[in-house]
mmCIF file of all heavy atoms in Angstrom:
data_model
loop_
_atom_site.group_PDB
_atom_site.id
_atom_site.type_symbol
_atom_site.label_atom_id
_atom_site.label_comp_id
_atom_site.label_asym_id
_atom_site.label_seq_id
_atom_site.Cartn_x
_atom_site.Cartn_y
_atom_site.Cartn_z
ATOM 1 N N VAL A 358 11.621 -2.385 27.858
ATOM 2 C CA VAL A 358 11.476 -3.038 29.164
ATOM 3 C C VAL A 358 12.740 -2.794 29.998
ATOM 4 O O VAL A 358 12.668 -2.434 31.179
ATOM 5 C CB VAL A 358 11.189 -4.547 28.990
ATOM 6 C CG1 VAL A 358 11.295 -5.281 30.333
ATOM 7 C CG2 VAL A 358 9.801 -4.750 28.377
ATOM 8 N N ASP A 359 13.889 -2.946 29.377
ATOM 9 C CA ASP A 359 15.150 -2.732 30.109
ATOM 10 C C ASP A 359 15.234 -1.305 30.634
ATOM 11 O O ASP A 359 15.694 -1.064 31.760
ATOM 12 C CB ASP A 359 16.356 -3.015 29.198
ATOM 13 C CG ASP A 359 16.484 -4.501 28.877
ATOM 14 O OD1 ASP A 359 15.780 -5.303 29.538
ATOM 15 O OD2 ASP A 359 17.256 -4.862 27.964
ATOM 16 N N ASP A 360 14.782 -0.364 29.812
ATOM 17 C CA ASP A 360 14.811 1.042 30.234
ATOM 18 C C ASP A 360 13.945 1.232 31.482
ATOM 19 O O ASP A 360 14.386 1.839 32.467
ATOM 20 C CB ASP A 360 14.299 1.918 29.076
ATOM 21 C CG ASP A 360 14.008 3.345 29.495
ATOM 22 O OD1 ASP A 360 14.974 4.097 29.713
ATOM 23 O OD2 ASP A 360 12.823 3.698 29.639
ATOM 24 N N ALA A 361 12.717 0.675 31.460
ATOM 25 C CA ALA A 361 11.802 0.844 32.600
ATOM 26 C C ALA A 361 12.370 0.169 33.850
ATOM 27 O O ALA A 361 12.344 0.741 34.951
ATOM 28 C CB ALA A 361 10.424 0.260 32.248
ATOM 29 N N VAL A 362 12.906 -1.034 33.676
ATOM 30 C CA VAL A 362 13.444 -1.765 34.821
ATOM 31 C C VAL A 362 14.671 -1.032 35.385
ATOM 32 O O VAL A 362 14.847 -0.887 36.601
ATOM 33 C CB VAL A 362 13.775 -3.226 34.421
ATOM 34 C CG1 VAL A 362 14.501 -3.959 35.534
ATOM 35 C CG2 VAL A 362 12.480 -3.971 34.062
ATOM 36 N N GLY A 363 15.470 -0.494 34.483
ATOM 37 C CA GLY A 363 16.651 0.272 34.899
ATOM 38 C C GLY A 363 16.260 1.498 35.719
ATOM 39 O O GLY A 363 17.006 1.945 36.589
ATOM 40 N N LEU A 364 15.060 2.020 35.462
ATOM 41 C CA LEU A 364 14.607 3.212 36.186
ATOM 42 C C LEU A 364 13.835 2.839 37.453
ATOM 43 O O LEU A 364 13.293 3.697 38.127
ATOM 44 C CB LEU A 364 13.718 4.064 35.267
ATOM 45 C CG LEU A 364 14.436 4.760 34.106
ATOM 46 C CD1 LEU A 364 13.428 5.333 33.110
ATOM 47 C CD2 LEU A 364 15.343 5.874 34.629
ATOM 48 N N GLY A 365 13.716 1.532 37.723
ATOM 49 C CA GLY A 365 13.111 1.116 38.987
ATOM 50 C C GLY A 365 11.815 0.347 38.884
ATOM 51 O O GLY A 365 11.222 -0.001 39.914
ATOM 52 N N ALA A 366 11.313 0.064 37.674
ATOM 53 C CA ALA A 366 10.064 -0.697 37.557
ATOM 54 C C ALA A 366 10.282 -2.116 38.100
ATOM 55 O O ALA A 366 11.372 -2.682 37.974
ATOM 56 C CB ALA A 366 9.613 -0.761 36.098
ATOM 57 N N GLU A 367 9.203 -2.661 38.680
ATOM 58 C CA GLU A 367 9.290 -4.000 39.252
ATOM 59 C C GLU A 367 8.688 -5.002 38.260
ATOM 60 O O GLU A 367 7.577 -4.782 37.739
ATOM 61 C CB GLU A 367 8.467 -3.997 40.552
ATOM 62 C CG GLU A 367 8.527 -5.297 41.308
ATOM 63 C CD GLU A 367 7.490 -5.326 42.452
ATOM 64 O OE1 GLU A 367 6.970 -4.249 42.812
ATOM 65 O OE2 GLU A 367 7.196 -6.422 42.940
ATOM 66 N N VAL A 368 9.410 -6.101 37.996
ATOM 67 C CA VAL A 368 8.904 -7.106 37.045
ATOM 68 C C VAL A 368 8.012 -8.087 37.802
ATOM 69 O O VAL A 368 8.494 -8.814 38.671
ATOM 70 C CB VAL A 368 10.078 -7.867 36.381
ATOM 71 C CG1 VAL A 368 9.548 -8.909 35.400
ATOM 72 C CG2 VAL A 368 11.029 -6.907 35.674
ATOM 73 N N LEU A 369 6.717 -8.122 37.473
ATOM 74 C CA LEU A 369 5.811 -9.064 38.149
ATOM 75 C C LEU A 369 5.800 -10.414 37.436
ATOM 76 O O LEU A 369 5.586 -11.448 38.043
ATOM 77 C CB LEU A 369 4.390 -8.494 38.225
ATOM 78 C CG LEU A 369 4.225 -7.195 39.027
ATOM 79 C CD1 LEU A 369 2.758 -6.793 39.130
ATOM 80 C CD2 LEU A 369 4.816 -7.331 40.429
ATOM 81 N N THR A 370 5.997 -10.384 36.126
ATOM 82 C CA THR A 370 6.186 -11.634 35.368
ATOM 83 C C THR A 370 6.860 -11.294 34.044
ATOM 84 O O THR A 370 6.785 -10.160 33.585
ATOM 85 C CB THR A 370 4.859 -12.384 35.121
ATOM 86 O OG1 THR A 370 5.144 -13.660 34.523
ATOM 87 C CG2 THR A 370 3.920 -11.625 34.194
ATOM 88 N N GLY A 371 7.526 -12.281 33.453
ATOM 89 C CA GLY A 371 8.177 -12.077 32.153
ATOM 90 C C GLY A 371 9.411 -11.219 32.282
ATOM 91 O O GLY A 371 10.202 -11.377 33.205
ATOM 92 N N GLY A 372 9.566 -10.296 31.317
ATOM 93 C CA GLY A 372 10.665 -9.339 31.415
ATOM 94 C C GLY A 372 11.701 -9.442 30.315
ATOM 95 O O GLY A 372 12.583 -8.588 30.226
ATOM 96 N N GLY A 373 11.611 -10.476 29.457
ATOM 97 C CA GLY A 373 12.649 -10.558 28.428
ATOM 98 C C GLY A 373 12.263 -11.444 27.253
ATOM 99 O O GLY A 373 11.207 -12.089 27.248
ATOM 100 N N ALA A 374 13.158 -11.467 26.275
ATOM 101 C CA ALA A 374 12.953 -12.272 25.073
ATOM 102 C C ALA A 374 13.080 -13.754 25.423
ATOM 103 O O ALA A 374 13.723 -14.118 26.412
ATOM 104 C CB ALA A 374 13.981 -11.882 24.025
ATOM 105 N N ILE A 375 12.458 -14.590 24.604
ATOM 106 C CA ILE A 375 12.585 -16.040 24.755
ATOM 107 C C ILE A 375 13.479 -16.518 23.612
ATOM 108 O O ILE A 375 13.305 -16.085 22.467
ATOM 109 C CB ILE A 375 11.193 -16.714 24.668
ATOM 110 C CG1 ILE A 375 10.285 -16.185 25.795
ATOM 111 C CG2 ILE A 375 11.308 -18.233 24.723
ATOM 112 C CD1 ILE A 375 8.839 -16.641 25.676
ATOM 113 N N ASP A 376 14.404 -17.401 23.940
ATOM 114 C CA ASP A 376 15.350 -17.854 22.913
ATOM 115 C C ASP A 376 14.643 -18.456 21.703
ATOM 116 O O ASP A 376 13.620 -19.113 21.835
ATOM 117 C CB ASP A 376 16.309 -18.897 23.505
ATOM 118 C CG ASP A 376 17.326 -18.209 24.414
ATOM 119 O OD1 ASP A 376 17.468 -16.979 24.304
ATOM 120 O OD2 ASP A 376 17.936 -18.914 25.241
ATOM 121 N N GLY A 377 15.252 -18.259 20.541
ATOM 122 C CA GLY A 377 14.685 -18.695 19.271
ATOM 123 C C GLY A 377 14.700 -20.199 19.102
ATOM 124 O O GLY A 377 15.093 -20.906 20.026
ATOM 125 N N PRO A 378 14.283 -20.748 17.945
ATOM 126 C CA PRO A 378 13.923 -19.971 16.767
ATOM 127 C C PRO A 378 12.613 -19.190 16.959
ATOM 128 O O PRO A 378 11.838 -19.510 17.856
ATOM 129 C CB PRO A 378 13.743 -21.054 15.689
ATOM 130 C CG PRO A 378 13.327 -22.267 16.457
ATOM 131 C CD PRO A 378 14.061 -22.187 17.752
ATOM 132 N N GLY A 379 12.428 -18.200 16.110
ATOM 133 C CA GLY A 379 11.236 -17.369 16.202
ATOM 134 C C GLY A 379 11.509 -16.163 17.094
ATOM 135 O O GLY A 379 12.465 -16.143 17.870
ATOM 136 N N HIS A 380 10.626 -15.169 16.973
ATOM 137 C CA HIS A 380 10.854 -13.884 17.644
ATOM 138 C C HIS A 380 9.928 -13.741 18.849
ATOM 139 O O HIS A 380 9.049 -12.886 18.871
ATOM 140 C CB HIS A 380 10.626 -12.744 16.650
ATOM 141 C CG HIS A 380 11.277 -12.987 15.313
ATOM 142 N ND1 HIS A 380 12.642 -13.118 15.169
ATOM 143 C CD2 HIS A 380 10.752 -13.152 14.080
ATOM 144 C CE1 HIS A 380 12.927 -13.350 13.894
ATOM 145 N NE2 HIS A 380 11.801 -13.383 13.212
ATOM 146 N N PHE A 381 10.114 -14.607 19.833
ATOM 147 C CA PHE A 381 9.191 -14.625 20.967
ATOM 148 C C PHE A 381 9.657 -13.711 22.101
ATOM 149 O O PHE A 381 10.854 -13.572 22.352
ATOM 150 C CB PHE A 381 9.033 -16.057 21.496
ATOM 151 C CG PHE A 381 8.359 -16.959 20.493
ATOM 152 C CD1 PHE A 381 9.107 -17.773 19.638
ATOM 153 C CD2 PHE A 381 6.977 -16.965 20.379
ATOM 154 C CE1 PHE A 381 8.493 -18.578 18.699
ATOM 155 C CE2 PHE A 381 6.350 -17.781 19.437
ATOM 156 C CZ PHE A 381 7.113 -18.584 18.595
ATOM 157 N N PHE A 382 8.663 -13.121 22.787
ATOM 158 C CA PHE A 382 8.949 -12.293 23.958
ATOM 159 C C PHE A 382 7.997 -12.730 25.069
ATOM 160 O O PHE A 382 6.797 -12.916 24.825
ATOM 161 C CB PHE A 382 8.745 -10.807 23.632
ATOM 162 C CG PHE A 382 9.371 -9.886 24.648
ATOM 163 C CD1 PHE A 382 10.675 -9.416 24.470
ATOM 164 C CD2 PHE A 382 8.682 -9.515 25.793
ATOM 165 C CE1 PHE A 382 11.271 -8.590 25.414
ATOM 166 C CE2 PHE A 382 9.278 -8.687 26.751
ATOM 167 C CZ PHE A 382 10.570 -8.215 26.559
ATOM 168 N N ALA A 383 8.520 -12.900 26.264
ATOM 169 C CA ALA A 383 7.683 -13.396 27.370
ATOM 170 C C ALA A 383 6.613 -12.366 27.741
ATOM 171 O O ALA A 383 6.934 -11.190 27.929
ATOM 172 C CB ALA A 383 8.563 -13.678 28.582
ATOM 173 N N PRO A 384 5.355 -12.796 27.854
ATOM 174 C CA PRO A 384 4.318 -11.880 28.339
ATOM 175 C C PRO A 384 4.750 -11.290 29.683
ATOM 176 O O PRO A 384 5.165 -12.025 30.585
ATOM 177 C CB PRO A 384 3.092 -12.788 28.487
ATOM 178 C CG PRO A 384 3.325 -13.880 27.489
ATOM 179 C CD PRO A 384 4.814 -14.113 27.503
ATOM 180 N N THR A 385 4.658 -9.969 29.769
ATOM 181 C CA THR A 385 5.307 -9.249 30.871
ATOM 182 C C THR A 385 4.348 -8.295 31.564
ATOM 183 O O THR A 385 3.553 -7.622 30.902
ATOM 184 C CB THR A 385 6.505 -8.445 30.276
ATOM 185 O OG1 THR A 385 7.450 -9.372 29.734
ATOM 186 C CG2 THR A 385 7.173 -7.563 31.305
ATOM 187 N N VAL A 386 4.433 -8.244 32.892
ATOM 188 C CA VAL A 386 3.724 -7.197 33.644
ATOM 189 C C VAL A 386 4.769 -6.467 34.485
ATOM 190 O O VAL A 386 5.581 -7.097 35.169
ATOM 191 C CB VAL A 386 2.631 -7.783 34.571
ATOM 192 C CG1 VAL A 386 1.905 -6.653 35.305
ATOM 193 C CG2 VAL A 386 1.632 -8.631 33.784
ATOM 194 N N LEU A 387 4.738 -5.141 34.425
ATOM 195 C CA LEU A 387 5.650 -4.310 35.223
ATOM 196 C C LEU A 387 4.809 -3.445 36.153
ATOM 197 O O LEU A 387 3.789 -2.891 35.743
ATOM 198 C CB LEU A 387 6.481 -3.391 34.316
ATOM 199 C CG LEU A 387 7.320 -4.036 33.207
ATOM 200 C CD1 LEU A 387 7.988 -2.947 32.363
ATOM 201 C CD2 LEU A 387 8.375 -4.967 33.797
ATOM 202 N N ASP A 388 5.256 -3.307 37.393
ATOM 203 C CA ASP A 388 4.549 -2.421 38.330
ATOM 204 C C ASP A 388 5.516 -1.304 38.746
ATOM 205 O O ASP A 388 6.724 -1.385 38.464
ATOM 206 C CB ASP A 388 4.092 -3.243 39.556
ATOM 207 C CG ASP A 388 3.029 -2.489 40.355
ATOM 208 O OD1 ASP A 388 2.532 -1.450 39.878
ATOM 209 O OD2 ASP A 388 2.705 -2.935 41.473
ATOM 210 N N GLU A 389 4.953 -0.296 39.410
ATOM 211 C CA GLU A 389 5.770 0.825 39.901
ATOM 212 C C GLU A 389 6.587 1.432 38.759
ATOM 213 O O GLU A 389 7.762 1.740 38.915
ATOM 214 C CB GLU A 389 6.756 0.349 40.998
ATOM 215 C CG GLU A 389 6.129 -0.333 42.183
ATOM 216 C CD GLU A 389 5.561 0.658 43.200
ATOM 217 O OE1 GLU A 389 5.580 1.881 42.926
ATOM 218 O OE2 GLU A 389 5.064 0.197 44.225
ATOM 219 N N VAL A 390 5.962 1.582 37.612
ATOM 220 C CA VAL A 390 6.705 2.115 36.459
ATOM 221 C C VAL A 390 6.876 3.620 36.649
ATOM 222 O O VAL A 390 5.890 4.344 36.813
ATOM 223 C CB VAL A 390 5.958 1.804 35.139
ATOM 224 C CG1 VAL A 390 6.680 2.413 33.954
ATOM 225 C CG2 VAL A 390 5.834 0.292 34.963
ATOM 226 N N PRO A 391 8.108 4.112 36.642
ATOM 227 C CA PRO A 391 8.312 5.544 36.869
ATOM 228 C C PRO A 391 7.872 6.380 35.657
ATOM 229 O O PRO A 391 7.973 5.905 34.514
ATOM 230 C CB PRO A 391 9.826 5.668 37.080
ATOM 231 C CG PRO A 391 10.403 4.443 36.502
ATOM 232 C CD PRO A 391 9.364 3.377 36.493
ATOM 233 N N PRO A 392 7.350 7.584 35.880
ATOM 234 C CA PRO A 392 6.812 8.406 34.785
ATOM 235 C C PRO A 392 7.821 8.686 33.675
ATOM 236 O O PRO A 392 7.429 8.968 32.543
ATOM 237 C CB PRO A 392 6.408 9.713 35.473
ATOM 238 C CG PRO A 392 6.329 9.404 36.911
ATOM 239 C CD PRO A 392 7.204 8.232 37.191
ATOM 240 N N SER A 393 9.110 8.594 33.992
ATOM 241 C CA SER A 393 10.110 8.917 32.956
ATOM 242 C C SER A 393 10.404 7.723 32.039
ATOM 243 O O SER A 393 11.161 7.856 31.072
ATOM 244 C CB SER A 393 11.414 9.378 33.621
ATOM 245 O OG SER A 393 11.851 8.372 34.513
ATOM 246 N N ALA A 394 9.810 6.549 32.292
ATOM 247 C CA ALA A 394 10.117 5.372 31.462
ATOM 248 C C ALA A 394 9.646 5.599 30.026
ATOM 249 O O ALA A 394 8.529 6.073 29.797
ATOM 250 C CB ALA A 394 9.447 4.135 32.055
ATOM 251 N N ARG A 395 10.497 5.235 29.093
ATOM 252 C CA ARG A 395 10.184 5.478 27.667
ATOM 253 C C ARG A 395 8.922 4.756 27.215
ATOM 254 O O ARG A 395 8.189 5.233 26.354
ATOM 255 C CB ARG A 395 11.365 5.014 26.793
ATOM 256 C CG ARG A 395 12.502 6.026 26.693
ATOM 257 C CD ARG A 395 13.677 5.441 25.934
ATOM 258 N NE ARG A 395 13.290 4.885 24.644
ATOM 259 C CZ ARG A 395 13.991 3.962 23.979
ATOM 260 N NH1 ARG A 395 15.105 3.489 24.486
ATOM 261 N NH2 ARG A 395 13.585 3.532 22.810
ATOM 262 N N LEU A 396 8.668 3.581 27.788
ATOM 263 C CA LEU A 396 7.532 2.796 27.279
ATOM 264 C C LEU A 396 6.178 3.423 27.593
ATOM 265 O O LEU A 396 5.165 2.992 27.057
ATOM 266 C CB LEU A 396 7.618 1.328 27.718
ATOM 267 C CG LEU A 396 7.095 0.864 29.069
ATOM 268 C CD1 LEU A 396 7.363 -0.612 29.236
ATOM 269 C CD2 LEU A 396 7.645 1.646 30.188
ATOM 270 N N LEU A 397 6.177 4.473 28.421
ATOM 271 C CA LEU A 397 4.913 5.167 28.652
ATOM 272 C C LEU A 397 4.601 6.125 27.504
ATOM 273 O O LEU A 397 3.442 6.403 27.215
ATOM 274 C CB LEU A 397 4.963 5.942 29.971
ATOM 275 C CG LEU A 397 5.179 5.083 31.222
ATOM 276 C CD1 LEU A 397 5.211 5.964 32.456
ATOM 277 C CD2 LEU A 397 4.086 4.017 31.350
ATOM 278 N N ASP A 398 5.628 6.618 26.859
ATOM 279 C CA ASP A 398 5.423 7.587 25.776
ATOM 280 C C ASP A 398 5.507 6.955 24.394
ATOM 281 O O ASP A 398 4.984 7.488 23.425
ATOM 282 C CB ASP A 398 6.475 8.708 25.871
ATOM 283 C CG ASP A 398 6.218 9.584 27.085
ATOM 284 O OD1 ASP A 398 5.042 9.903 27.332
ATOM 285 O OD2 ASP A 398 7.182 9.907 27.803
#
Side-chain angles (χ1 to χ4, degrees):
V358 169
D359 290 348
D360 168 74
V362 173
L364 290 168
E367 183 190 344
V368 180
L369 298 185
T370 187
I375 299 172
D376 286 343
H380 315 298
F381 294 96
F382 196 92
T385 297
V386 181
L387 304 176
D388 196 9
E389 304 279 5
V390 177
S393 56
R395 278 174 52 202
L396 85 182
L397 299 180
D398 290 318

